[in-house]
Amino acid sequence: MTIRLRPHHLLCMLTYVGKGYTPAFVANYDRLAGRIAHGEPILVVAGPDDVCAPLLGPDGPPSIHCHDPSITERDRRAARAVRELLRTAIAPGAHIQPDAALIARLRRAFAARTIRAACAACSWAPLCDRVAGQGYPGTRIPARHAATEPSRRA
């Protein structure tokens, strides 16, 4: 299987500690984080993705958040930052193989604030600042447990 992520969620996954919009959102993100930690491939998509799913379904809260133009802009900024760091295309259709080295590289850049342009107006930024500033304790995708095979991108 493949996990579908929009570009800014490539950043969100780095500091995810089990907090979210609703209990269903958190349960879903916990499942996705476990799959990422075990090396399940990521497919970059435009717009709502597997993380957004609980906010979009009939049982989810009414939400335009995932379709908001400001979120699309957040995706654009995240894609550019991650592309510049990894020197590979981060656009719809790109495949990313998460492994310990990739997660560690992204986290170093995130902590150094070199890939955080997308986070400027995000309401979760204070939590992410704290998690990154403390060395990523309690994150659901621990780098040491991520798959260890080399990253491959298409």
Side-chain angles (χ1 to χ4, degrees):
M1 293 189 52
T2 300
I3 298 168
R4 298 168 356 100
L5 290 185
R6 63 191 314 161
H8 85 264
H9 285 155
L10 295 171
L11 303 179
C12 298
M13 72 178 187
L14 302 173
T15 59
Y16 176 66
V17 292
K19 306 286 184 193
Y21 300 103
T22 67
F25 179 91
V26 170
N28 179 61
Y29 211 149
D30 282 346
R31 283 189 295 277
L32 295 172
R35 290 167 54 194
I36 293 168
H38 285 93
E40 189 165 322
I42 295 169
L43 173 66
V44 178
V45 298
D49 61 6
D50 291 342
V51 172
C52 298
L55 300 176
L56 302 172
D59 297 328
S63 175
I64 60 167
H65 172 82
C66 297
H67 297 285
D68 189 276
S70 68
I71 304 305
T72 302
E73 176 62 16
R74 188 172 295 157
D75 286 334
R76 189 186 66 73
R77 289 179 179 194
R80 181 175 54 211
V82 174
R83 178 185 69 237
E84 289 173 1
L85 175 70
L86 301 180
R87 293 189 175 100
T88 191
I90 302 297
H95 289 85
I96 299 171
Q97 181 64 52
D99 60 28
L102 176 68
I103 298 298
R105 186 173 180 191
L106 288 168
R107 284 189 172 147
R108 279 191 305 272
F110 191 88
R113 298 183 171 276
T114 60
I115 59 170
R116 296 194 59 189
C119 307
C122 180
S123 62
W124 293 99
L127 173 68
C128 297
D129 289 344
R130 188 170 54 255
V131 171
Q134 295 173 350
Y136 301 97
T139 54
R140 298 295 210 267
I141 304 173
R144 69 184 183 283
H145 291 137
T148 56
E149 62 187 71
S151 297
R152 291 183 308 273
R153 292 173 265 321

